[in-house]
Amino acid sequence: MKIAYDAKRFFHNTSGLGNYSRDLVRILSRYFPENEYLLLNKNKSERGADILQHQNVRFVETSKGQMSRQFKMGKDAQKAGADLFHGLSGELPLRWDKKPIKKVVTIHDLIFVRYPQYYSFFDRKIHFWKFRKAAESADRIIAISEQTRQDIIQFLKVPENKIEVIYQGCHQAFKEEQTDEFTGLVKEKFSLPERFILNVGTIEERKNLLNIVKGIQGTQIPLVVVGRKTNYFKTVEAFIRKNKMQEQVIFLEGVSMDELAVLYKLADIFVYPSFFEGFGIPVIEALFSKTVVITSNTSCLPEAGGPDSMYVDPGNERDLKAKIKFLWDYESERKRRAEKGFEFVQKFNDEAIAGQLIRFYQDLIH
């Protein structure tokens, strides 16, 4: 099989969509080396350079011109002899020639429909048009969670039998044991407290950091936060200043993937009370790191967290505070849930996901 990918996110996105794209190509090229994987984009970057070194992965420069991703990338894939084209981020090219090629699109979430207040009017309209168009032209659709599958059926009016749920995994760094020496360097570099709880993700309203801060107010529990700041950060910062919590809440920047893996492993608890997610990769990262998780009882988060994570109503800061304090105080319960969570998360291992993806492709082509 020769499989072509829209590699824009692969080369140019640092988090979410970029990680999904790179992990998907990485695991397929490793476990199914007999196939050829073509990365189509107008240029390369250093991101994913290690994956491009695999013999069965190659970069294909797309035709030049205005909106070439929409109007020329599909034809470029056909010209390269691809059997299948996979749009990795909710989009597919708009034009194709007559040469046969199967089309797949991954849709990650429809948060812009469920929570329009987080998006501009223009962005909502563009996103909806692109997603609906891609869903119509795709032969099959991959949803990254059961929640997203239900949303595609409801909002894009797609028949159920056109969609398959294939979960995503996470970066290899979270599954590896970092050395004691490296762990010590990370502790020193970021001046980490002896014990802390951790939150990872863009600092935006939907991710609900303010309620974590309110949840630890009046306790001695340190919180470490890793994530890109948006305007919402000012709201959180104002609350921290007003309540003199500057020493208790630590914001880290410039954290590498290997350093982040150490932070997860060092944390007593990972706290992620997001109002809504398409999947919630940080939950998977924490479980692979053998760290107990507190997350929301909404959207797909129970799918990612499994039966032994602890769940809260994300709007209820008292519920959150009670559960943080309970796990903080009971080491045996933290360990028990972390061990069970580690057993559960094995279903998101690379080999299992790669197998699902390749069967999905083969069923479509044959």
Side-chain angles (χ1 to χ4, degrees):
M1 256 191 307
K2 193 182 275 194
I3 305 148
Y5 297 95
D6 176 350
K8 180 184 176 184
R9 310 293 183 185
F10 180 101
F11 288 119
H12 298 295
N13 277 52
T14 53
S15 55
L17 297 175
N19 288 337
Y20 173 79
S21 304
R22 288 183 290 274
D23 280 340
L24 183 143
V25 177
R26 175 180 61 79
I27 65 176
L28 286 175
S29 61
R30 179 185 170 194
Y31 289 103
F32 298 95
E34 66 275 17
N35 301 312
E36 197 175 345
Y37 306 94
L38 310 179
L39 301 175
L40 277 71
N41 198 43
K42 57 187 178 187
N43 53 30
K44 289 189 279 187
S45 77
E46 279 308 301
R47 290 188 192 97
D50 55 327
I51 299 165
L52 264 176
Q53 288 174 359
H54 297 193
Q55 287 189 331
N56 51 2
V57 181
R58 70 184 170 93
F59 169 68
V60 176
E61 187 178 352
T62 48
S63 299
K64 302 242 183 314
Q66 285 277 345
M67 296 185 74
S68 65
R69 186 167 171 242
Q70 287 76 20
F71 297 136
K72 297 178 180 178
M73 186 183 279
K75 294 180 180 182
D76 289 336
Q78 290 170 300
K79 205 180 295 178
D83 302 298
L84 183 147
F85 184 96
H86 188 167
L88 297 165
S89 56
E91 297 178 60
L92 283 173
L94 300 173
R95 290 199 187 146
W96 307 83
D97 63 30
K98 290 179 180 168
K99 195 173 180 184
I101 189 168
K102 294 293 184 182
K103 305 178 196 77
V104 172
V105 67
T106 296
I107 294 179
H108 296 260
D109 62 67
L110 294 171
I111 293 171
F112 60 91
V113 181
R114 282 188 166 275
Y115 289 87
Q117 67 270 31
Y118 299 142
Y119 298 82
S120 72
F121 174 81
F122 182 72
D123 281 349
R124 291 201 310 271
K125 291 294 176 192
I126 291 287
H127 286 335
F128 191 79
W129 185 86
K130 280 181 182 174
F131 280 34
R132 191 172 58 186
K133 196 81 180 161
E136 285 168 2
S137 66
D139 294 289
R140 294 290 307 280
I141 297 166
I142 292 173
I144 63 161
S145 66
E146 183 57 40
Q147 175 68 57
T148 295
R149 179 177 171 273
Q150 294 301 332
D151 284 354
I152 294 167
I153 294 164
Q154 181 182 346
F155 298 121
L156 299 181
K157 310 299 180 201
V158 173
E160 289 184 42
N161 61 4
K162 193 175 178 176
I163 311 162
E164 185 160 334
V165 175
I166 301 180
Y167 292 117
Q168 61 188 105
C170 70
H171 196 282
Q172 194 59 28
F174 303 101
K175 302 167 193 174
E176 294 168 349
E177 287 295 323
Q178 284 74 26
T179 64
D180 289 346
E181 184 187 7
F182 183 68
T183 300
L185 289 171
V186 173
K187 278 184 180 175
E188 195 178 330
K189 176 180 175 180
F190 296 115
S191 304
L192 295 172
E194 201 52 44
R195 292 181 66 195
F196 61 91
I197 65 172
L198 178 69
N199 174 257
V200 176
T202 305
I203 300 169
E204 59 183 336
E205 191 177 348
R206 176 172 58 86
K207 303 280 190 184
N208 199 21
L209 175 60
L210 184 58
N211 268 3
I212 307 178
V213 175
K214 288 178 178 177
I216 61 164
Q217 186 188 4
T219 75
Q220 298 298 308
I221 300 171
L223 167 64
V224 172
V225 181
V226 181
R228 180 176 61 82
K229 294 170 182 171
T230 68
N231 275 340
Y232 171 71
F233 172 73
K234 292 173 188 167
T235 306
V236 179
E237 190 182 35
F239 183 90
I240 289 168
R241 268 204 317 271
K242 184 181 174 189
N243 292 282
K244 299 183 172 50
M245 297 172 70
Q246 293 95 323
E247 298 294 310
Q248 194 178 357
V249 184
I250 303 152
F251 292 93
L252 303 184
E253 290 178 348
V255 179
S256 73
M257 203 62 88
D258 287 318
E259 289 167 343
L260 185 59
V262 168
L263 291 174
Y264 273 110
K265 290 181 177 75
L266 290 175
D268 280 45
I269 310 165
F270 179 69
V271 189
Y272 196 72
S274 175
F275 286 109
F276 196 91
E277 293 292 325
F279 184 52
I281 280 293
V283 170
I284 300 295
E285 292 169 348
L287 294 178
F288 269 117
S289 305
K290 298 184 181 174
T291 296
V292 66
V293 170
I294 298 174
T295 189
S296 304
N297 58 9
T298 58
S299 66
C300 64
L301 289 162
E303 286 180 71
D308 293 284
S309 291
M310 196 166 255
Y311 295 97
V312 295
D313 169 359
N316 185 339
E317 67 201 61
R318 291 172 68 184
D319 184 22
L320 186 56
K321 181 186 276 260
K323 282 168 180 165
I324 289 171
K325 286 195 70 176
F326 171 73
L327 284 180
W328 182 261
D329 291 338
Y330 289 97
E331 184 182 9
S332 59
E333 189 63 9
R334 289 200 306 275
K335 282 188 172 170
R336 185 189 73 79
R337 288 177 182 269
E339 282 165 16
K340 291 283 191 184
F342 185 68
E343 286 172 26
F344 167 79
V345 84
Q346 299 311 310
K347 69 189 271 191
F348 302 111
N349 250 323
D350 291 353
E351 193 171 1
I353 293 167
Q356 282 180 282
L357 281 163
I358 220 73
R359 283 192 296 276
F360 177 86
Y361 289 165
Q362 286 167 340
D363 289 349
L364 196 51
I365 287 172
H366 302 308

